[in-house]
Amino acid sequence: MKLTVNGTNHEVDVDPNMPLLWVLRDELNIKGPKFGCGIAMCGACTVHLNGNPIRACSFPVSAATGEITTIEGVGTPNAMSAVQEAWVEHQVAQCGYCQSGQIMSATALLNNNPAPSDQDIDTAMSGNLCRCGTYPRIRAAIKTAAANIQASKATEIELGADAPEGV
Amino acid sequence: MGKLATITRRTFLLGAVAITGGVVFGYWKYKQPYGNPLQKDLDDGEAALTPYVLIDQDGITIIAPRAEMGQGIHTTLAALVAEELDVSLEQVKVIHGPASNAYFNAAGFEEAIPFAAIDESSMAERARNFTRIPAKFLGMQLTGGSSSTPDAFEKMRMAGAAARESLLQAAAQKLGVQATSLSTHAGKVLTASGDSFDYTELAEAAALIEPSAEPTLKSQANWKVLGKSQARVDVIPKSTGTAEFGVDVTLPGMLFATVRVNPNLLNPMNAYDASKAESMRGVEKIIEIENGVAVVATNSWYAFQAAKAIEFDWQPANYPKTTSELRQIVVDSFAAGADSKHRDDGDVDAALNGAEIISGEYEVPYLAHATMEPMNATAWMRDGMIEIWAGNQLPTQIVKEAERITGLPEDAITVHTPYMGGGFGRRAELDFAKQAIEIANAMPGTPVKMTWTREEDTCHDYYRPLALAKFKAVMGDTEPTAIDLELAAPSVASSQFGRLGVPAAGPDIFIVQAAWDQPYGVENYRVRGYKADTVFPVSSWRSVGASQNAFFHESMMDELAAAKSLDPLQMRLNLITHEPSRKVIEAVGELSNWGAELPAGHGRGIAFCLSFGVPTAQVIEVAEQDGKIKILNAYIAADVGTALDPRNVEAQLSGGMHYGLAAAMMGEITITDGKVDQTNFHNYNSIRMNQSPNVEVAILENGDRIRGVGEPGTPPAAPALANAIYAATGKRIRRLPLNKEVSFV
């Protein structure tokens, strides 16, 4: 079975019903996506399939056709995305276990909606549990990221550069 | 980590230790005149030395020997050392380090004495100091009880200061000058003429210098790191998916496992049939373990699937099999006589006699910890040694369990403590680590990572106990004149400490925690605890007894104020006897604009709780919208004595409150036929983004000593919310969770 994760092609030999999460974690050693519940109730495993957030714990690998992006594909410690930068600026993480999933949901939100309202944030983020209760800082970080993305786009338009795709 | 693993327990005791090209500094002076078991390997003298600073050519590593489960303790402990060592946090690497009794937590048992945390009398101080003796003899490297920061506050600054002085001495010897002519800055020793030497190049010479027994600590006014908000040392890894949690441990040739053990908790398995599971894809081995079975496979999911396919004959529960029967034991405990009566001011019986009595009965359910990261552990047995990786709050006890299970000697056992995806008290239990050790013991040579399913996790917790309260009170014109509060619960102390092999002597203070010791002056005021037989496994759940008792006590206070149409905030101020607590209540009043008019359908509730020495007040504002309760705003004021990292203190207070709100709104574990009914987040849900209020926090520093803040944010949340619902709707809810009586947005 073939799949593409963060731009890299992989070939795996697994049960086609195996959830994508366990292919990523135990077969490909991509461990940013976390196991929380196994029934799509907590969002810790959130990754993108063709840009859309999915719960990898409940998504059979055989259906994962297209571009899979995990937190590792969004940014790295030395080259963080705008959303990750905002997460650091607001010191969002406590235990941090849910934050890969939170960042993936927030990234998808901002890709589709560059200026989300509180209501939009509630709708997009309520599938991601955080037992440490970091929600107020997540909300603030999403707003900071949105503003920073808008500002950098505005600067680039002024400079006549192409706006970057996504965040 | 490799280098650290070569440091033996004996070398921990010897202070500055030369290691390959580097040095380990430690310092901790034991002030009490009791024999120190750590000193048995030392010559006469009162200093026992423990390592917190490791310097070699590669850089500076600070050992923060407490579990990082989200509370930011690695950052705060590293800051204590960094301040005195004169380095910035960006210059150091911070690790948990190995399990060692030398890292015992001296402050971890202070909450367990019958003296209020704010009691500064000599009796209380003596009792508090006595808790350090069992703490030391048990040598428990415990993370819990909001004690890590108070425990470390002096000794880790001392470690940094002693290391800095040795580095200065080393530079002085090298240059042939007086150490007083040298200074330090940002990890360098500076000479008067402007030359500089990196600490790393001085390390080897510093290793030969006996560390100062009395290093001078900076005055607070000169702090550069402490008292200022720091970037968490783990924030970038945790924002990029690169932090390694227990569940992420990866080893060469590693296999993946899961377990199923008897859902009739702590009862044995009679028999099992794994014939179907054995032939399923990916399955490598099926191993019988205590009370159940482990399935080892090539992928965690294969292990989950195969474990589901095993048929079990479980031994039935050896305890009453339903919530209502378990509840009845708590009800009956009221009749059995009080376990404790730590508060008995005035003459309560006389004051109640013939007076107009206000009374109420309250109840809270069993709760699960529900950490985001399910329980897991990895173990690898090879060459007569075992290495264990487990996100845990008690590494020294895991060493003991490994000795027992494997028969290996202590020095053949290594415990690693990676980041943990939440703890809340759950990871002070040892069951998951023991299972990984059992699996490794059965598969020598092969590293195996054992991960629980969420279902296993929810159904095999050690739960916050179901607890009951009854109160009778008499109101004067402006405040209560008599309060008689009776609290009944199974004993966390006997259940949890029993599993650790520590005798729990005397009354269980946790049954009355944060109820008997509140700084209210009421003329006739009695708080009694009743210990229910502890037949169902219970344990510490963030803030322990305070988690239920603040709900009982502060709902009662609200009822009493309402009975005389008094302002509940003002009534508390009338009663308060502790100045820092008074200021906390005043601060939360100011922050919340208490008293200002609210729109129709809105209500504000206030609650106060002094737990773990931290007076904490919360005001919550709710609105009734289309018959549902929406939590709009939350205001928190707390006094931590000294706020080492204000932004982190704020995070803990807000996070602790959210944890309390989740339980208050919807948390409930029930038992049918001996087994827990709830299985996963669909039926044991938690607060979510759309329910999370705006939060404002005021941090005060009037308290007499430094306090830890991992737990104190939790207790006031439930009563503040219930009191707000009363203010908004007139509905007084005396039983949690609140969603049995109201719906939330």
Side-chain angles (χ1 to χ4, degrees):
Chain A
M1 201 176 305
K2 287 182 172 39
L3 69 166
T4 310
V5 185
N6 301 326
T8 304
N9 296 320
H10 298 273
E11 176 94 40
V12 292
D13 176 17
V14 296
D15 185 328
N17 290 319
M18 181 180 284
L20 174 60
L21 177 69
W22 295 109
V23 177
L24 295 172
R25 289 186 55 84
D26 289 0
E27 304 291 327
L28 302 178
N29 205 25
I30 295 170
K31 291 174 297 187
K34 295 292 188 259
F35 169 56
C37 67
I39 58 166
M41 284 298 295
C42 81
C45 63
T46 305
V47 300
H48 294 178
L49 178 60
N50 301 320
N52 298 311
I54 60 164
R55 310 298 185 209
C57 76
S58 309
F59 200 96
V61 61
S62 50
T65 48
E67 274 292 328
I68 297 157
T69 310
T70 71
I71 182 88
E72 289 89 346
V74 165
T76 62
N78 296 318
M80 288 187 283
S81 73
V83 174
Q84 290 170 320
E85 295 274 8
W87 246 247
V88 171
E89 182 185 333
H90 288 273
Q91 295 284 302
V92 171
Q94 290 189 27
C95 91
Y97 195 77
C98 73
Q99 299 299 347
S100 293
Q102 303 278 3
I103 288 169
M104 295 311 286
S105 289
T107 301
L109 166 67
L110 293 176
N111 280 341
N112 295 319
N113 178 354
S117 65
D118 279 341
Q119 180 69 51
D120 297 335
I121 293 173
D122 283 352
T123 305
M125 301 301 294
S126 288
N128 290 80
L129 271 184
C130 172
R131 290 284 286 159
C132 299
T134 63
Y135 302 121
R137 289 191 184 182
I138 291 175
R139 187 183 297 280
I142 290 173
K143 290 180 178 177
T144 294
N148 288 346
I149 293 163
Q150 289 304 312
S152 72
K153 277 186 183 161
T155 310
E156 280 165 27
I157 288 162
E158 260 172 46
L159 295 171
D162 291 332
E165 285 298 317
V167 291
Chain B
M1 193 60 92
K3 215 170 286 164
L4 261 184
T6 67
I7 303 170
T8 68
R9 259 174 201 83
R10 187 180 162 81
T11 60
F12 285 167
L13 308 178
L14 299 179
V17 174
I19 56 168
T20 29
V23 58
V24 182
F25 292 103
Y27 183 84
W28 183 59
K29 180 166 175 294
Y30 196 69
K31 284 178 174 170
Q32 303 302 328
Y34 309 114
N36 183 343
L38 296 180
Q39 288 183 323
K40 64 181 189 293
D41 290 335
L42 298 176
D43 293 333
D44 287 352
E46 57 178 0
L49 301 164
T50 66
Y52 294 102
V53 184
L54 187 151
I55 303 177
D56 62 16
Q57 288 89 338
D58 297 334
I60 302 167
T61 301
I62 294 177
I63 292 92
R66 295 289 174 261
E68 179 54 86
M69 46 193 163
Q71 80 279 43
I73 199 64
H74 277 195
T75 305
T76 297
L77 296 185
L80 289 168
V81 175
E83 180 68 64
E84 294 293 340
L85 186 59
D86 207 3
V87 294
S88 71
L89 283 181
E90 291 77 36
Q91 288 178 282
V92 301
K93 189 174 157 208
V94 183
I95 62 168
H96 179 280
S100 168
N101 295 348
Y103 294 127
F104 76 86
N105 184 338
F109 292 82
E110 283 190 14
E111 191 76 3
I113 56 165
F115 290 91
I118 55 166
D119 185 343
E120 292 171 61
S121 68
S122 60
M123 277 280 278
E125 284 298 320
R126 278 175 57 197
R128 217 163 274 136
N129 286 334
F130 266 104
T131 67
R132 291 165 181 257
I133 300 172
K136 187 176 63 179
F137 273 96
L138 294 168
M140 281 194 195
Q141 187 178 355
L142 164 73
T143 306
S146 294
S147 61
S148 297
T149 297
D151 171 62
F153 184 53
E154 185 174 300
K155 67 186 178 191
M156 289 193 70
R157 283 186 298 150
M158 292 284 235
R164 178 177 166 275
E165 289 189 11
S166 292
L167 291 159
L168 280 168
Q169 283 294 336
Q173 283 173 11
K174 184 174 182 148
L175 297 165
V177 301
Q178 290 289 314
T180 49
S181 71
L182 303 171
S183 61
T184 57
H185 179 68
K188 290 177 198 297
V189 174
L190 310 177
T191 68
S193 58
D195 290 334
S196 72
F197 300 91
D198 286 340
Y199 286 176
T200 47
E201 57 181 305
L202 294 167
E204 216 161 342
L208 303 173
I209 294 165
E210 175 80 2
S212 165
E214 294 287 343
T216 312
L217 296 181
K218 283 182 188 176
S219 71
Q220 190 169 342
N222 293 327
W223 283 354
K224 290 188 278 192
V225 179
L226 299 175
K228 293 167 184 66
S229 295
Q230 300 297 323
R232 291 176 63 119
V233 297
D234 52 5
V235 73
I236 291 175
K238 287 178 176 179
S239 305
T240 52
T242 55
E244 187 175 82
F245 295 86
V247 80
D248 300 325
V249 167
T250 302
L251 297 164
M254 185 174 78
L255 292 175
F256 304 85
T258 195
V259 301
R260 281 187 68 193
V261 304
N262 194 340
N264 303 294
L265 297 174
L266 309 183
N267 281 279
M269 172 179 71
N270 290 333
Y272 69 100
D273 176 359
S275 51
K276 189 167 167 225
E278 274 162 358
S279 60
M280 286 173 69
R281 185 167 180 182
V283 172
E284 295 276 319
K285 191 162 179 152
I286 291 173
I287 302 164
E288 199 171 323
I289 60 169
E290 188 180 2
N291 301 339
V293 161
V295 178
V296 183
T298 57
N299 183 300
S300 303
W301 186 75
Y302 289 141
F304 292 169
Q305 298 306 105
K308 258 191 252 176
I310 299 176
E311 286 179 30
F312 290 96
D313 173 11
W314 303 122
Q315 195 157 116
N318 63 347
Y319 47 78
K321 293 185 177 57
T322 62
T323 314
S324 62
E325 290 168 88
L326 288 163
R327 180 182 181 279
Q328 192 59 41
I329 295 174
V330 187
V331 172
D332 293 344
S333 73
F334 281 118
D339 173 59
S340 72
K341 188 170 67 177
H342 291 313
R343 182 159 215 155
D344 192 9
D345 301 342
D347 186 339
V348 170
D349 289 327
L352 293 175
N353 190 15
E356 185 188 333
I357 290 180
I358 301 162
S359 64
E361 296 190 4
Y362 280 82
E363 178 170 349
V364 299
Y366 288 106
L367 293 172
H369 295 84
T371 61
M372 286 302 299
E373 180 192 16
M375 296 303 110
N376 65 85
T378 301
W380 188 4
M381 172 84 86
R382 64 188 155 137
D383 308 329
M385 301 190 309
I386 188 166
E387 251 182 298
I388 301 142
W389 292 258
N392 78 92
Q393 298 173 234
L394 263 175
T396 47
Q397 305 318 109
I398 293 178
V399 172
K400 284 195 163 65
E401 291 296 342
E403 281 182 76
R404 188 183 59 77
I405 294 167
T406 65
L408 290 171
E410 193 184 341
D411 60 11
I413 298 161
T414 305
V415 175
H416 304 280
T417 303
Y419 288 133
M420 44 209 81
F424 316 124
R426 178 62 181 85
R427 287 185 157 91
E429 297 289 345
L430 308 171
D431 47 352
F432 54 96
K434 283 156 61 176
Q435 292 168 350
I437 296 165
E438 282 189 86
I439 296 167
N441 204 28
M443 297 193 72
T446 305
V448 182
K449 174 160 68 183
M450 185 281 305
T451 306
W452 285 11
T453 60
R454 173 59 56 188
E455 289 75 13
E456 194 74 12
D457 192 282
T458 308
C459 298
H460 293 83
D461 202 347
Y462 298 84
Y463 300 87
R464 198 286 306 273
L466 181 154
L468 303 175
K470 300 195 275 199
F471 81 88
K472 291 193 204 110
V474 180
M475 277 300 288
D477 290 337
T478 59
E479 59 185 60
T481 56
I483 289 177
D484 187 18
L485 181 61
E486 297 179 278
L487 305 163
S491 171
V492 165
S494 32
S495 187
Q496 184 175 17
F497 296 170
R499 285 188 293 279
L500 292 172
V502 180
D508 182 353
I509 197 83
F510 297 116
I511 292 172
V512 292
Q513 184 189 13
W516 75 276
D517 53 352
Q518 296 304 287
Y520 293 124
V522 177
E523 199 182 332
N524 305 288
Y525 192 5
R526 182 167 64 194
V527 179
R528 286 175 290 184
Y530 297 83
K531 194 195 283 187
D533 280 348
T534 308
V535 292
F536 184 75
V538 293
S539 191
S540 297
W541 184 97
R542 198 175 193 171
S543 80
V544 201
S547 72
Q548 73 257 18
N549 289 332
F551 173 64
F552 299 150
H553 196 285
E554 292 298 288
S555 298
M556 170 187 77
M557 295 297 266
D558 209 63
E559 285 206 55
L560 297 180
K564 292 281 179 181
S565 304
L566 298 173
D567 180 306
L569 187 150
Q570 185 56 48
M571 190 185 85
R572 285 176 174 81
L573 289 177
N574 295 346
L575 295 172
I576 213 86
T577 56
H578 176 240
E579 238 3 70
S581 294
R582 172 189 306 284
K583 289 187 174 131
V584 155
I585 295 174
E586 287 170 349
V588 86
E590 238 168 81
L591 199 62
S592 64
N593 208 7
W594 183 267
E597 198 141 323
L598 288 174
H602 288 226
R604 278 192 203 97
I606 181 171
F608 167 87
C609 181
L610 195 160
S611 66
F612 304 90
V614 179
T616 308
Q618 291 175 8
V619 168
I620 286 176
E621 182 189 341
V622 302
E624 199 172 11
Q625 296 175 351
D626 308 322
K628 290 184 172 183
I629 299 292
K630 165 87 177 163
I631 307 173
L632 295 171
N633 297 302
Y635 307 90
I636 311 172
D639 193 316
V640 296
T642 304
L644 295 180
D645 186 335
R647 185 164 49 180
N648 190 51
V649 170
E650 181 203 294
Q652 283 308 296
L653 289 167
S654 173
M657 181 194 70
H658 276 83
Y659 198 72
L661 288 177
M665 293 161 73
M666 63 194 93
E668 183 178 34
I669 289 290
T670 57
I671 295 104
T672 304
D673 192 28
K675 303 168 189 71
V676 166
D677 296 318
Q678 292 70 29
T679 53
N680 203 320
F681 288 127
H682 67 290
N683 52 15
Y684 192 78
N685 206 347
S686 187
I687 192 167
R688 290 172 183 270
M689 175 63 90
N690 64 322
Q691 300 169 314
S692 169
N694 299 313
V695 183
E696 288 182 46
V697 178
I699 300 166
L700 284 73
E701 296 181 283
N702 302 306
D704 62 316
R705 65 173 79 179
I706 190 162
R707 304 290 186 176
V709 74
E711 290 163 285
T714 299
L721 177 58
N723 294 342
I725 291 169
Y726 173 75
T729 67
K731 186 179 282 206
R732 174 69 64 193
I733 306 176
R734 298 187 179 86
R735 186 161 69 121
L736 298 183
L738 298 165
N739 69 357
K740 286 185 175 307
E741 306 217 22
V742 292
S743 301
F744 289 94
V745 165

